[in-house]
Structures are given as structure tokens and as C-alpha cells.
Amino acid sequence: MSDITGTAQWLGRSARMPTRRNAWLACLIALVVVLVFGNLANYAAPDTNYGWDLRVNCAAVEAHVDGLDPYYVKNLKGTKFSYTYLPATLDAFRPLCADGFLVGHHRGVFLAIAVLCSLVLPGIGRTRSLRDVALRGLYVLGAFVGFEWVLASGNFAILGGGLTAAALALLLRPAKPDDRHDVPRIAGAALLGLVMSFKLVFFPLLAALYFLPLSRRRKLVLIAVAGLGFALPILISVAIYPGLFSSWLLAITGGIPGQLSVQIEEPNPSLLLLAQAVVDRVGLADSKPLVFATYALAATAFVLAPFGWSLLRAIRNKEGSLPGRLDRWLIDHPRAAMRITVLAMYGLYLCSPRLKEYAFFELAVYGAVLIVDLPAAALAAVLTIGVAVPTLVSITGTTIEGGFVQLAVALACFWILLLDFRTEPERLERKAVRP
């Protein structure tokens, strides 16, 4: 506990503002650090029940090596869960599962990757500082208790989070007028598309690349590259693993009897399942069209419409067609454009129909880019709602699985970030800080 207290004091000092009136924020951050690290300490003791997703993944790799079909649970040793990743990942994941090292030491490895995310994540219109890195690390480790679920389950969402951080670091670079400088950004788009192929439902997030402060042609090229990065693992799976690809389709659509599959009925804290719960309450549980209509309405009302309206307010004084006005505003306000790009990624991720508890770790990676630029009051609100509240719920032993606590706090943080953008969309430009 002394190490945790020392870490809290260091982060509190690094986040302290120059004025005395913001000393309370440093105290809040120190308290949040104690909560987060105290909660994660619960997973330090050995427990054979932890790391079940990691054991499933590595059991699938071993079954593939032995010539068995890994999409049939009967071929996986010691598990009742199915393998849901594309066939192309079986050989890609083989080095991770070699010699059982990751299965036996995943807590330390996953923690190191999460901390690395905070070091890799870029700033927007700011010089790099210890304060910002510390805040990003705190948010990655504690927001929505997503990392807690990744750590407990041993889910490979940790890889998605690490690759997402790397992709954002490449994408959110200062815009250059010469296309030759787009090579890192193209690599970032391809990497982001690859990450989306891990869980196909997150594919719409790639549309957020249109909000980068680049010419329309360059943005469309990036979206096309990201789409290719997304499609490549699928094409490889079809071409090289045709039999396994057929089994994968059966596994995720419920075509293999007697084992879990990806279905709407599967518990997860998403807007789709929230819509189903609402429809169930009115006695129309069997009406799938009504469920999806309610889900679309909720996604529009809670995320898409507020985001679109905020963007329209920002460009309202421009002249010309809507796409032209948007393109000019994004190029004229590059730092605000990069911020709205990440906010769009956050919102589209949040709208996913299948948002498992561990997926909130990747959502926290997007949020960590945005929180360091918030004013003191907004930052305090995000840390309290997004980190302290779900952590306290977890510490008290209240179950989160099957509920909507994570979804509620993630939506609240989205609204805070969006309201900050609506209030001061050009704040970063006014600061005139070189990235």
C-alpha cells in the first residue's frame, strides 16, 4: 500500500496546477490513483479462475497446431468457451502462446502493455509532459474498469488497445501540405483497420478518419487504406484457411450446437442490449425489428445526433456546401479537427452493438487522448464519473457483468467531452502550442 500511496502523491504533484484554486484537483487525482491501484491489487494474488479468455485463445492455437478444428469447443482443452477470432489469427497468436509464458504471467505483461499505451498515446496541440502521460496512464488503467476486466479475463483486447494507441500516434500527426509526409499516417490507418478486424462490429469507426485536417482526397485514401487493413485478415482467412473460415462462420452465427456464440441474447453492456431490455419490459421481446429500431434511436439520440449538431454549430459561419464547409473548417482548425476525430472514434465505438465489459479498455484508450486538454472542472467530472464511480462499484463487490454501469459512465464522459468541444471548439488553436 505504501507504493500505491507514493504513486498517488507523485501523480498528484505532477497534475497540480500553478494556482492554489486547483489544488483540489490534485487531491482528487491522488484519491482516484489510490482507488484504481487498490482495485487492481485485488488481482495480484494467484487465482486459477483468472485468465480464462487467454486460456481459450491459447487452447485454440494448440488445437490448430495439433490439426484439430479450434472453432469446436470439444477440441479445446479445459474450457467451455469458443474461439471467436478469424482463422488468420491462429498462426499470428502462436508466438504469444508458446511455452505457456503468457498464460502464466499475463498479469505483469498486460499491465506493462497498458502502461505502454499511455506512453505511446499522442497529445493534441500540447508539448509532452509528465502530467499528461500520468493522466493518460491513470485513465487507461482505471476508466470504466475496462482494464480490470481485461486483466481478470486475460482478454486479447489488451493487444487491440496497444495497437490502437500506436495507430493514433501515427494518425494524429501535424498535417503537412506534401503527400510525401503521409507515410506514417497511411501506416496508422492500415494499423487501425487491422485492429478493427479483431472484432468486426467496430468497423464503422474507420469513418471517423474523415474528420482529420487533410484534403478530402487524402482522407479518402486513408479510409481506403484502413478498409484494406480491415479486409486483409478476412481475405487471408478465406484464401489460406477456407475450411476453418467456414467453421468460424458457423461458430459466430450459432451454427455449432451446444456451444456459446455471438448472438443478440448474449449479455453485454451495449446500447443494443439496453434496447432489448427496454423492449422486454413492454412485453415485445420477440420483435427483433422493434429492438433494432430502438437501438438505432438510442444511438442517434445519445451519441450521433449530439455529435453532428455540435459539429454543425462549429462550421455554421462558413459558406458553401456542407462537405466543403466541413473540409475547410477542419483544415483551418487542425488541432480541434484531430480532437473531433478521436471524439468521433469514441462515439462510434460506444454505439457498437456488441460492447463487452473488457472492450471498455479500448474505449478508454480513445478517451485518454482527450482528457488531458480538459479544463479543471471538466477533468474532475470525467475522472469522478469515468474512473472513481465504477472503481468504487467494483471495490464494493457489486457485480457489473450483465448491467449497464460501464455504458452509463462512458456515455456521461462522452457528453462531458462533447460539451467541452461545443463550448470552446477553438481553444487549442488559441493556445498556439506547437505539438
Side-chain angles (χ1 to χ4, degrees):
M1 182 60 72
S2 61
D3 292 339
I4 296 174
T5 304
T7 303
Q9 293 173 345
W10 173 79
L11 184 53
R13 288 196 299 270
S14 67
R16 187 173 295 116
M17 305 299 176
T19 55
R20 184 176 299 178
R21 65 185 176 85
N22 286 329
W24 60 271
L25 180 58
C27 295
L28 172 64
I29 292 173
L31 175 62
V32 171
V33 171
V34 173
L35 289 174
V36 169
F37 280 87
N39 194 33
L40 294 179
N42 293 332
Y43 299 96
D47 189 325
T48 55
N49 292 324
Y50 292 157
W52 56 88
D53 273 324
L54 180 59
R55 291 197 294 272
V56 170
N57 296 340
C58 289
V61 170
E62 292 173 4
H64 176 58
V65 172
D66 293 338
L68 302 174
D69 191 328
Y71 294 104
Y72 285 80
V73 172
K74 64 182 181 180
N75 294 330
L76 306 184
K77 299 177 182 177
T79 181
K80 298 181 295 183
F81 299 103
S82 57
Y83 184 73
T84 58
Y85 293 101
L86 284 164
T89 60
L90 289 165
D91 287 316
F93 290 162
R94 187 181 299 186
L96 300 176
C97 297
D99 302 323
F101 175 81
L102 190 59
V103 173
H105 303 85
H106 85 274
R107 293 182 183 85
V109 174
F110 279 25
L111 181 61
I113 295 175
V115 172
L116 186 62
C117 287
S118 63
L119 299 176
V120 172
L121 283 173
I124 300 176
R126 300 174 65 95
T127 53
R128 197 170 185 84
S129 68
L130 284 176
R131 170 195 177 272
D132 291 356
V133 172
L135 281 175
R136 291 191 192 103
L138 176 61
Y139 205 73
V140 166
L141 291 173
F144 326 128
V145 294
F147 178 69
E148 175 188 336
W149 271 94
V150 169
L151 189 64
S153 65
N155 197 276
F156 275 6
I158 191 71
L159 302 179
L163 294 175
T164 296
L168 292 175
L170 293 168
L171 286 166
L172 302 179
R173 300 168 61 85
K176 301 291 185 181
D178 193 332
D179 283 347
R180 290 177 303 174
H181 296 280
D182 259 3
V183 173
R185 199 172 283 110
I186 287 174
L191 185 57
L192 187 65
L194 179 65
V195 174
M196 296 303 105
S197 72
F198 287 177
K199 301 291 183 181
L200 305 184
V201 292
F202 298 117
F203 174 71
L205 182 147
L206 299 179
L209 295 177
Y210 190 85
F211 298 111
L212 287 170
L214 304 169
S215 67
R216 189 179 303 175
R217 183 184 68 82
R218 293 168 69 182
K219 291 187 292 189
L220 293 178
V221 168
L222 289 180
I223 293 174
V225 169
L228 181 60
F230 172 83
L232 188 60
I234 302 175
L235 296 175
I236 292 174
S237 297
V238 172
I240 302 179
Y241 310 90
L244 290 178
F245 185 77
S246 298
S247 296
W248 173 77
L249 288 175
L250 288 174
I252 66 172
T253 58
I256 302 177
Q259 65 182 57
L260 295 175
S261 62
V262 180
Q263 297 289 330
I264 185 176
E265 291 83 7
E266 184 184 24
N268 67 81
S270 69
L271 287 172
L272 177 59
L273 266 292
L274 178 61
Q276 185 177 28
V278 171
V279 172
D280 286 348
R281 285 293 183 92
V282 298
L284 297 172
D286 295 331
S287 178
K288 292 293 180 66
L290 182 58
V291 170
F292 281 98
T294 305
Y295 160 59
L297 179 62
T300 301
F302 293 148
V303 179
L304 302 180
F307 176 85
W309 179 248
S310 299
L311 201 54
L312 287 174
R313 288 181 75 253
I315 66 174
R316 65 185 182 276
N317 294 327
K318 299 288 184 179
E319 296 181 354
S321 66
L322 180 60
R325 281 186 290 160
L326 177 60
D327 290 340
R328 285 195 300 274
W329 186 88
L330 294 171
I331 291 174
D332 291 343
H333 306 86
R335 297 183 181 92
M338 287 188 283
R339 185 172 182 82
I340 205 69
T341 298
V342 181
L343 190 57
M345 293 177 177
Y346 182 113
L348 290 170
Y349 195 100
L350 195 56
C351 290
S352 169
R354 190 173 184 269
L355 196 63
K356 298 291 288 183
E357 287 83 2
Y358 53 77
F360 283 86
F361 167 70
E362 293 183 75
L363 187 66
V365 171
Y366 294 108
V369 177
L370 302 171
I371 64 165
V372 295
D373 295 311
L374 292 175
L379 176 60
V382 167
L383 290 177
T384 301
I385 296 172
V387 182
V389 169
T391 301
L392 283 171
V393 171
S394 179
I395 288 176
T396 58
T398 304
T399 181
I400 288 179
E401 187 176 16
F404 297 100
V405 172
Q406 290 173 293
L407 179 64
V409 297
L411 279 170
C413 291
F414 174 78
W415 294 332
I416 293 170
L417 292 166
L418 190 59
L419 285 172
D420 174 68
F421 171 78
R422 289 183 61 175
T423 303
E424 296 185 283
E426 301 175 7
R427 183 178 67 240
L428 292 175
E429 268 68 32
R430 290 202 303 268
K431 288 181 179 181
V433 179
R434 294 182 62 83

